[in-house]
Amino acid sequence: DADVTQTPRNRITKTGKRIMLECSQTKGHDRMYWYRQDPGLGLRLIYYSFDVKDINKGEISDGYSVSRQAQAKFSLSLESAIPNQTALYFCATSRDTSTDTQYFGPGTRLTVL
Amino acid sequence: KNQVEQSPQSLIILEGKNCTLQCNYTVSPFSNLRWYKQDTGRGPVSLTIMTFSENTKSNGRYTATLDADTKQSSLHITASQLSDSASYICVVSFILTGGGNKLTFGTGTQLKVEL
């Protein structure tokens, strides 16, 4: 987990606020991902990036945006947070092969009131 | 619809005992299957990955099996320890039309190992 870090680890915010979650990695991987995890559901992909400036939508991208300005950093933004975005958010990285393992960060617990 | 179902949803065993977790999937076309361990408050950590041609893979006390014909996988934990208490997540990768892979995550089996 130390190779993939996420900030903040916990955040409580109010409806309508703009929130940014940061992910940094020292593994030198090209591919980075943002997931959310909700109780009783599997992890779901929000956005992913295969290289700097490359952005791809996942299965639940509505209400989110991302930025990949450097290989080591991938940020997730909630432009106007709503309560159903309350969840555990994970960043992950992998090398550029389809069968390669994804390495997850420690997660950010976000609560939207 | 591509799905991954895990059973049981939760399991309690005594330290030192063995256990087996199940994963059934309907993902197609199949690329690979992974098992992850997720400790409470932490990100998932990879235990094993198996491609179509592999039917067993071990990582210490963890042994995963794959039957691609019946679309079933199992994770067997031998001589369980308190530190095995965690959620175990089955993840199946399928091949997208046009190239690339997509991961489908199961909801996990919550294992608790007690003294």
Side-chain angles (χ1 to χ4, degrees):
Chain A
D1 281 2
D3 296 323
V4 183
T5 58
Q6 293 182 232
T7 56
R9 294 294 313 278
N10 288 282
R11 181 72 184 268
I12 300 174
T13 191
K14 295 182 178 180
T15 297
K17 294 292 187 181
R18 183 178 187 274
I19 297 296
M20 179 178 287
L21 309 183
E22 301 278 5
C23 177
S24 294
Q25 52 113 348
T26 59
K27 301 188 78 66
H29 289 169
D30 287 326
R31 299 185 173 193
M32 298 187 73
Y33 313 79
W34 274 105
Y35 292 92
R36 67 177 278 176
Q37 187 176 39
D38 298 276
L41 298 178
L43 275 81
R44 293 180 292 167
L45 183 63
I46 305 172
Y47 271 98
Y48 61 101
S49 169
F50 285 171
D51 204 348
V52 176
K53 300 290 178 70
D54 176 67
I55 301 295
N56 303 281
K57 292 183 177 181
E59 58 187 298
I60 54 164
S61 59
D62 288 348
Y64 302 95
S65 63
V66 291
S67 175
R68 182 91 184 274
Q69 297 297 320
Q71 186 203 40
K73 296 185 183 296
F74 193 34
S75 60
L76 175 72
S77 294
L78 288 69
E79 296 301 327
S80 180
I82 56 177
N84 75 3
Q85 291 178 313
T86 294
L88 194 53
Y89 289 85
F90 288 101
C91 173
T93 75
S94 70
R95 290 181 299 184
D96 59 357
T97 57
S98 62
T99 59
D100 203 31
T101 297
Q102 291 192 10
Y103 295 85
F104 287 82
T108 294
R109 183 168 296 281
L110 177 66
T111 302
V112 183
L113 301 176
Chain B
K1 182 180 178 181
N2 290 312
Q3 289 187 314
V4 177
E5 296 184 353
Q6 294 186 240
S7 62
Q9 189 173 20
S10 63
L11 180 63
I12 301 174
I13 62 173
L14 295 176
E15 186 180 31
K17 298 296 186 183
N18 303 336
C19 68
T20 300
L21 314 180
Q22 301 290 345
C23 174
N24 296 335
Y25 62 93
T26 60
V27 170
S28 181
F30 173 86
S31 177
N32 58 71
L33 185 146
R34 315 152 192 252
W35 283 93
Y36 279 85
K37 177 187 179 187
Q38 184 177 16
D39 293 310
T40 301
R42 307 287 295 274
V45 175
S46 177
L47 294 175
T48 63
I49 178 171
M50 290 180 290
T51 60
F52 184 87
S53 59
E54 297 174 296
N55 56 23
T56 187
K57 183 75 69 80
S58 290
N59 178 359
R61 293 180 296 101
Y62 301 101
T63 299
T65 64
L66 172 64
D67 186 334
D69 291 331
T70 61
K71 299 186 176 181
Q72 296 179 324
S73 177
S74 64
L75 180 68
H76 186 72
I77 304 174
T78 304
S80 61
Q81 300 175 357
L82 296 179
S83 60
D84 292 331
S85 296
S87 178
Y88 292 84
I89 303 172
C90 176
V91 185
V92 182
S93 175
F94 65 93
I95 301 168
L96 293 169
T97 302
N101 284 20
K102 182 183 184 300
L103 301 184
T104 300
F105 289 77
T107 56
T109 290
Q110 189 66 45
L111 173 66
K112 184 174 183 181
V113 181
E114 295 182 337
L115 291 171

